[in-house]
Amino acid sequence: MATSQTGPAMNEGPNPPLRRRFSNAERASLYLAADGRCSRCDAELQPGWHADHMAPYSQGGPTDVINGQALCPTCNLKKGSKPPMQLRQWQRRAVDAFYAANAENFLVSATPGAGKTKFSLHLARDLMQRGIVERVVVIAPSDNLRVQWADEASAAGISLYPVAPGDIDGYSKAGYVGCVVTYQQLLGTGQDLLRRAMRRPTFAILDEIHHAGDNKSWGDALRMAVEPAVHRLCLTGTPWRRDATSPIPFVRYDVNGTVAVDYAYEYGAAVADGVCRRIEFHAYDGEARWTDPARVRRSTIEENGKSDVSVEFTAKLGANMPEEDVSAALDTVYEPKYAWMPSILAQADAMLSEVREDVPDAAGLVVAERQWLAQGYAALLEQITGTRPPVVVSDPKADPGSRLAKQQIDQFRKGTGRWIVAVKMISEGVDIPRLAVGVYASKTQTPLFYRQVVGRFVRTRPNEEINARLLIPAVPELMRHAREIEEELRHQLEIAAQEDEKAQGEGGASTGQGMLDFRTPLSASESVFDRAILQGAEVSAEELAAAQAKAQELGIPRAYAANLVPLLRAQKTQEEVSVAAVPQQARPAEIPHYRREKLLRQEVETLARKVAYRRKIQPKDINIELLRAGHPKRAKATVAELEAMRQTLAGWMGAS
């Protein structure tokens, strides 16, 4: 006879059945913990709200407040049962490379926005299912990322506990298969607590591993803490140039003493695959005037033994000048009270308005050098837009708890506000896909920091075909970084096109200088658009203006004007050749024709990959569909046939 599972009988036997429903007391706790708002959409909870398991009950998630969340009915029904995790092509290849290496340590370098977190959690779950490991630990660089990793892991069906500072019980908390901590927490007793939690076979994920080289104590603590792990997956979204003289734990170095990456997925490949957005770099020049008594005294005393504090310095941002002058010029133009920054912010907001015509919740980010400057920019944006944007201090040294910064970032991510201002930057890994326009107002010129900022704008969302824009001072070093990034993209697109055509043919961290106390900024001119860097080429102000006029003529939003520049260049070259050519010389006309054909091939290649990405199929399957639709192989297609192919793919994009 079956016995009823109510009352005391539920506690009988060694393995009583798990309780599915939250009690009234637990529901009250979840409601209060969420401040009466839905944990997903932030809407005010109404009668009938749902108490939901974060780690699904069907997958063994406990009915406990530590595994619960308060959701509105709409969000809970949308959540539903999650389908198996679908990996992108690069993620599948990285998983295969990990198993092929069969090594304790494996370093993956993938561009921001490519999906390192999803790849890592898939691998963690696969290792657990294979019985290779029983537990998972994640070490992240910030408090904000610690919570974000725990949330992402829960969505992937892995229960990880985000250990708060001072919580000595969180490292081995019952009901979880692992934990998430920060590098900072490993100092002191944290390293021993984490090491002890690895008594069972453990997979360690070391996010943004280059942070372990920031200071020796972090690296030593990390080495001690995760040494017992069966496998250690090291992740970075930014290339760094640290060599073997300042080694980072669990990272290999080649014979030349430079870091050896086991699997790389760079920005160019991510854009070619439709995984990341393309970014336009808009450089602005301007003139700065300042005085520097300390420097004047040095120079005049050397010349005639006298001091003269009345000498002024003047420089244009785009000019080649000593680093000391670059720092002084940037200090001057970044002052909110002078004309350069107000004009830059006004132009950036106008760009954002253009983008929001197509993407209503698109947003902008200003990266400021110091907190008082950030407050000044917020005041300027309030004058421009009528709304004061939030100012986020995400530097861990300035805001160790980062609780306020996290709340501001979370609210901004879920909202529709236009602008957010951050001191230095919004932390690595913070995912705000609606960021589309940025203003670089930092003095830091290192490629590491620059690429971290660029990474804030490249994340994609479904059904969005926009280019992100980053407005930068026309300082030569920053321009060089932009060219390098665009050159990587251009090179990767060409490689992708060549590989695809071949397949068809076969049948199928420095922080920069600080402001000098005695230096006095005097004035800065309004910003002047100098040039844009897009698709590996520089675009002049005149070309961009012509493209914007053409876009308006064609009924295309101005936000897409930069995409027309290569086409207008090809048309202009063809017209010039036609006018200059004599009847006996028809050969030169083939040069612009070839350029146009090359441009079309790249555009068709990019569209095909984007359609494949949206449909979750391989690019070769799109090529087969094109052949079935009557189009020839791209390797043999004429300009007219490529244009027809582009039109077909554009139609498929709209239907995806």
Side-chain angles (χ1 to χ4, degrees):
M1 178 182 294
T3 57
S4 171
Q5 294 181 347
T6 59
M10 289 191 65
N11 296 321
E12 295 175 359
N15 296 302
L18 293 176
R19 174 172 54 90
R20 179 158 192 159
R21 294 187 178 277
F22 290 93
S23 68
N24 289 335
E26 289 168 333
R27 284 177 58 86
S29 297
L30 293 177
Y31 184 94
L32 293 173
D35 291 328
R37 309 192 76 84
C38 175
S39 297
R40 287 194 165 224
C41 70
D42 208 38
E44 185 176 351
L45 293 174
Q46 303 295 328
W49 63 273
H50 294 182
D52 175 65
H53 294 76
M54 296 177 67
Y57 175 86
S58 59
Q59 298 178 21
T63 303
D64 190 289
V65 289
I66 60 175
N67 186 46
Q69 60 183 342
L71 297 180
C72 67
T74 301
C75 285
N76 195 27
L77 292 173
K78 280 183 181 178
K79 178 173 173 272
S81 58
K82 296 185 180 298
M85 190 183 295
Q86 299 295 319
L87 293 184
R88 294 167 175 165
Q89 189 175 39
W90 83 262
Q91 294 166 328
R92 289 194 296 271
R93 289 175 177 171
V95 169
D96 293 341
F98 173 86
Y99 283 117
N102 192 28
E104 290 184 358
N105 305 314
F106 193 81
L107 174 61
V108 172
S109 174
T111 189
K116 294 187 297 296
T117 302
K118 184 176 181 180
F119 151 72
S120 305
L121 293 171
H122 170 88
L123 183 56
R125 194 169 64 183
D126 193 59
L127 286 168
M128 294 179 71
Q129 290 173 346
R130 295 184 184 209
I132 298 174
V133 301
E134 297 178 21
R135 293 179 59 79
V136 178
V137 300
V138 179
I139 297 90
S142 68
D143 290 340
N144 185 67
L145 285 176
R146 180 187 60 217
V147 176
Q148 186 171 311
W149 267 100
D151 290 343
E152 293 288 337
S154 176
I158 302 174
S159 298
L160 300 182
Y161 183 73
V163 183
D167 181 2
I168 62 174
D169 298 321
Y171 293 83
S172 302
K173 202 171 193 64
Y176 293 86
V177 298
C179 64
V180 189
V181 300
T182 65
Y183 291 101
Q184 180 76 26
Q185 287 176 263
L186 298 183
L187 299 177
T189 59
Q191 59 185 284
D192 294 323
L193 291 169
L194 188 62
R195 185 181 178 91
R196 187 172 182 274
M198 295 189 186
R199 288 174 296 177
R200 291 156 60 189
T202 302
F203 177 52
I205 300 172
L206 314 181
D207 189 23
E208 303 296 351
I209 182 65
H210 55 269
H211 283 282
D214 286 349
N215 58 66
K216 190 174 186 299
S217 58
W218 279 27
D220 291 345
L222 177 66
R223 189 186 303 279
M224 175 63 70
V226 301
E227 184 272 334
V230 175
H231 288 289
R232 291 172 287 269
L233 176 65
C234 304
L235 302 174
T236 181
T238 314
W240 75 90
R241 294 196 168 104
R242 211 179 305 276
D243 57 29
T245 61
S246 54
I248 296 174
F250 313 120
V251 171
R252 293 185 300 109
Y253 295 86
D254 62 22
V255 293
N256 298 317
T258 55
V259 66
V261 175
D262 297 296
Y263 188 89
Y265 186 66
E266 304 302 342
Y267 172 65
V271 173
D273 291 344
V275 172
C276 287
R277 288 178 185 154
R278 179 172 279 149
I279 188 165
E280 304 171 16
F281 298 94
H282 291 243
Y284 287 81
D285 206 345
E287 186 175 270
R289 294 173 53 247
W290 72 94
T291 64
D292 187 346
R295 184 176 169 194
V296 171
R297 281 195 292 270
R298 288 198 305 270
S299 61
T300 55
I301 289 173
E302 288 172 2
E303 292 176 5
N304 52 28
K306 297 180 181 180
S307 175
D308 182 0
V309 296
S310 63
V311 175
E312 297 179 359
F313 295 89
T314 302
K316 280 186 168 292
L317 292 177
N320 289 319
M321 50 183 158
E323 181 58 34
E324 189 174 14
D325 283 355
V326 173
S327 179
L330 290 177
D331 278 336
T332 303
V333 299
Y334 286 163
E335 286 262 7
K337 64 183 178 182
Y338 298 140
W340 198 85
M341 276 306 298
S343 60
I344 276 282
L345 293 175
Q347 293 177 77
D349 189 68
M351 289 182 182
L352 182 58
S353 293
E354 292 174 6
V355 176
R356 285 171 75 101
E357 290 178 7
D358 192 47
V359 183
D361 68 340
L365 164 67
V366 182
V367 180
E369 177 70 16
R370 296 175 181 272
Q371 189 169 357
W372 70 270
L373 290 170
Q375 295 293 349
Y377 303 155
L380 290 174
L381 286 168
E382 184 177 15
Q383 294 174 15
I384 295 169
T385 67
T387 303
R388 190 178 185 89
V391 175
V392 177
V393 180
S394 57
D395 184 348
K397 295 178 182 178
D399 183 13
S402 298
R403 181 174 179 82
L404 178 60
K406 179 185 181 303
Q407 292 174 348
Q408 290 175 309
I409 292 171
D410 286 345
Q411 290 174 1
F412 189 77
R413 181 193 298 114
K414 299 172 183 176
T416 59
R418 292 176 71 90
W419 285 97
I420 187 169
V421 184
V423 178
K424 291 297 183 183
M425 65 178 296
I426 286 186
S427 304
E428 295 164 280
V430 172
D431 187 8
I432 308 179
R434 65 190 193 92
L435 287 177
V437 177
V439 176
Y440 192 93
S442 170
K443 289 167 56 180
T444 305
Q445 300 178 56
T446 61
L448 174 66
F449 182 84
Y450 189 79
R451 286 174 180 259
Q452 287 172 346
V453 173
V454 169
R456 301 313 101 206
F457 302 94
V458 300
R459 284 168 167 78
T460 58
R461 294 191 296 183
N463 304 317
E464 283 185 2
E465 298 301 323
I466 61 171
N467 290 351
R469 305 181 193 182
L470 183 61
L471 285 66
I472 63 175
V475 172
E477 187 69 4
L478 296 179
M479 298 281 287
R480 184 173 67 83
H481 296 333
R483 291 191 193 96
E484 287 176 353
I485 292 173
E486 282 297 323
E487 180 62 24
E488 290 174 14
L489 172 57
R490 183 196 63 76
H491 179 65
Q492 188 61 43
L493 288 173
E494 288 183 356
I495 290 176
Q498 291 168 4
E499 289 179 348
D500 198 57
E501 289 186 3
K502 180 180 179 181
Q504 283 193 6
E506 294 172 352
S510 166
T511 59
Q513 296 185 28
M515 183 180 293
L516 297 178
D517 293 338
F518 301 109
R519 184 183 295 154
T520 304
L522 297 177
S523 69
S525 66
E526 286 195 2
S527 58
V528 179
F529 179 77
D530 183 59
R531 72 197 79 175
I533 299 175
L534 176 66
Q535 300 181 32
E538 294 188 356
V539 177
S540 68
E542 293 76 14
E543 287 179 311
L544 189 59
Q548 290 172 340
K550 188 66 174 179
Q552 187 172 359
E553 177 187 334
L554 297 174
I556 299 172
R558 283 165 55 93
Y560 300 91
N563 293 5
L564 298 177
V565 171
L567 181 59
L568 293 179
R569 279 181 176 173
Q571 291 175 346
K572 182 179 179 180
T573 305
Q574 190 165 6
E575 290 171 0
E576 291 173 351
V577 171
S578 300
V579 171
V582 295
Q584 294 84 356
Q585 296 177 328
R587 185 67 62 181
E590 296 177 6
I591 297 176
H593 184 82
Y594 165 76
R595 288 178 181 170
R596 174 166 172 74
E597 182 178 328
K598 182 179 179 181
L599 177 68
L600 279 168
R601 288 186 192 282
Q602 290 184 354
E603 189 172 353
V604 167
E605 166 67 19
T606 300
L607 278 172
R609 287 178 175 272
K610 286 185 176 181
V611 173
Y613 173 66
R614 287 192 178 184
R615 295 185 179 181
K616 294 182 172 54
I617 60 178
Q618 297 297 317
K620 65 180 181 180
D621 295 327
I622 295 298
N623 297 331
I624 293 172
E625 289 189 31
L626 286 170
L627 293 173
R628 289 174 178 169
H631 296 286
K633 294 180 179 178
R634 285 205 296 280
K636 299 180 179 180
T638 65
V639 168
E641 289 169 336
L642 287 168
E643 287 176 337
M645 209 176 299
R646 178 179 62 179
Q647 186 173 355
T648 297
L649 288 167
W652 291 353
M653 281 287 292
S656 298

